Amino acid sequence: MSDTPVDPDEVRHVADLARVDVDDDDVDRFTEQFADILDYFETLDEVPEVERDADLVNVMRPDEVRESLSQEEALANAEETEDGYFKGPNVS
């Protein structure tokens, strides 16, 4: 079991916030598990930070203005159109 103090009342409080009914047997078990989880977080705090290069590179291409399809060309292969727009199925 963990050295981190976790009170059974805290477990009941968390269960109430989550709107979960917890039996007394489960409260004892969850108290131990919560304490273990908090210990894991303390262990993560001990992990040293790693220095990383701050040189980030933009991999996106710059926007370019260029010729595009006409409305008729864009709609040429559409199954259905209406008033110069794509027409899809009705959603109910």
Side-chain angles (χ1 to χ4, degrees), residues 7 16 23 33 61 70 88-89:
D7 189 88
D16 287 340
D23 296 332
Q33 291 176 351
R61 64 169 173 74
S70 67

Side-chain angles (χ1 to χ4, degrees), residues 1-2 6 11 27-37:
M1 188 170 150
S2 152
V6 176
V11 173
V27 168
D28 294 335
R29 188 176 53 155
F30 290 147
T31 299
E32 292 178 23
Q33 291 176 351
F34 282 4
D36 290 340
I37 290 168

Side-chain angles (χ1 to χ4, degrees), residues 30-79:
F30 290 147
T31 299
E32 292 178 23
Q33 291 176 351
F34 282 4
D36 290 340
I37 290 168
L38 291 175
D39 275 348
Y40 292 137
F41 279 106
E42 288 176 8
T43 302
L44 288 174
D45 287 338
E46 296 171 10
V47 175
E49 292 186 25
V50 177
E51 292 293 327
R52 297 190 326 170
D53 292 336
D55 297 334
L56 300 178
V57 178
N58 185 359
V59 296
M60 305 297 287
R61 64 169 173 74
D63 289 338
E64 299 174 4
V65 177
R66 58 184 177 176
E67 192 69 29
S68 63
L69 297 175
S70 67
Q71 187 172 15
E72 293 80 25
E73 291 171 324
L75 296 173
N77 291 324
E79 288 184 26

Side-chain angles (χ1 to χ4, degrees), residues 3-18:
D3 294 334
T4 306
V6 176
D7 189 88
D9 290 333
E10 289 179 293
V11 173
R12 287 186 185 93
H13 178 68
V14 170
D16 287 340
L17 291 175

